[in-house]
């Protein structure tokens, strides 16, 4: 009911949201092992036959096109929670009487992706790793997803570089990761974790993920439980960039009747392989809402 762009943040009637219907993670031809040149692979046919692949061709459409289709559908009324907003026509389930012709043209392409890493070796515990990651691929221009996170990580790397030139070294090794092909199924990060599972399980201290870093003013933190206290201690030390009189913690509490740290239970971003394959303590930080 708020209208659409440019009057509000919602897509215009002609806008189409792009996404992937692949329900797995990583390269589907190398399930649970690393995808690299010359490695063993299952056939494309076998990969397509798994439950991770949708069996019905599907196409995202705009609200305008969807409304045209809905208007020519008959049959029973759709359930109340399937109906559109106020003022929309009644949605029906069909079948028919309209006939929709959908032509699907696809191709199977084996492409090369590239992750990019930067390493600052630790002074006291060089074989213990704190890992920071953000993906750099986007469906379209990626202003929020992932480039708001990319901007934050690049700026952090620049500050660490300045400190290094002054002789500073971290206690533990810091690894910056720029992941490729996240939107296709967390591919870059998953394959790297699969390739380095043993090393990560013994040496990784934590994985800190940023993806959609800024889409609003309110902190929305997610962690695994081991990092809850550290996160709370840290945001009490960081000044709110929008209000210099208080900390990020103060703003977070004021914006929420019952502020809560969320859990990383789903596979929404590149933390998934670190948490679910190796059990590395992880965080994912977003400023959103409002």
């Amino acid at each position: 009911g708020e209208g659409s762009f440019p009057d509000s943040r919602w897509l215009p009637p002609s806008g189409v949201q792009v996404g992937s219907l692949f329900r797995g993670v990583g390269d589907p031809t190398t399930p649970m092992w690393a995808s690299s040149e010359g490695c063993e692979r299952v056939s494309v046919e076998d990969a397509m036959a798994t439950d991770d692949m949708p069996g019905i061709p599907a196409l995202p459409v705009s609200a305008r096109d969807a409304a045209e289709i809905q208007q020519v559908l008959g049959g029973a009324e759709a359930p109340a929670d399937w109906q559109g907003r106020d003022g929309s026509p009644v949605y029906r389930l069909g079948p028919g009487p309209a006939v929709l012709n959908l032509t699907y043209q696809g191709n199977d392409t084996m492409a090369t992706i590239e992750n990019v890493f930067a390493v600052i070796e630790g002074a006291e515990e060089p074989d213990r790793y704190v890992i920071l990651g953000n993906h750099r691929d986007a469906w379209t221009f990626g202003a929020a997803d992932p480039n708001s996170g990319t901007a934050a990580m690049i700026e952090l790397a620049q500050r660490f570089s300045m400190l290094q030139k002054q002789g500073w070294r971290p206690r533990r090794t810091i690894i910056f990761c720029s992941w490729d092909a996240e939107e296709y199924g967390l591919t870059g990060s998953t394959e790297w974790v699969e390739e380095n599972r043993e090393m990560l399980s013994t040496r990784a201290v934590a994985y800190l993920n940023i993806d959609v870093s800024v889409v609003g003013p309110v902190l929305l933190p997610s962690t695994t439980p081991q990092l809850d206290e550290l996160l709370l201690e840290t945001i009490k030390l960081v000044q709110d960039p929008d209000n210099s009189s208080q900390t990020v913690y103060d703003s977070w509490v004021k914006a929420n009747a019952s502020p809560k740290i969320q859990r990383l239970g789903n596979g929404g971003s590149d933390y998934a392989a670190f948490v679910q394959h190796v059990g590395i303590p992880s965080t994912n930080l977003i400023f959103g809402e409002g």
Side-chain angles (χ1 to χ4, degrees), residues 11-18 60-63 65 140:
L11 278 178
S14 60
V16 180
Q17 180 177 345
V18 187
V61 298
S62 68
D65 289 343
T140 51

Side-chain angles (χ1 to χ4, degrees), residues 120-123 159-171:
I120 304 175
E121 187 173 9
R159 300 305 171 100
F160 280 162
S161 177
M162 293 166 64
L163 287 171
Q164 275 191 291
K165 291 174 183 175
Q166 298 170 15
W168 170 86
R169 285 178 67 189
R171 173 183 163 186

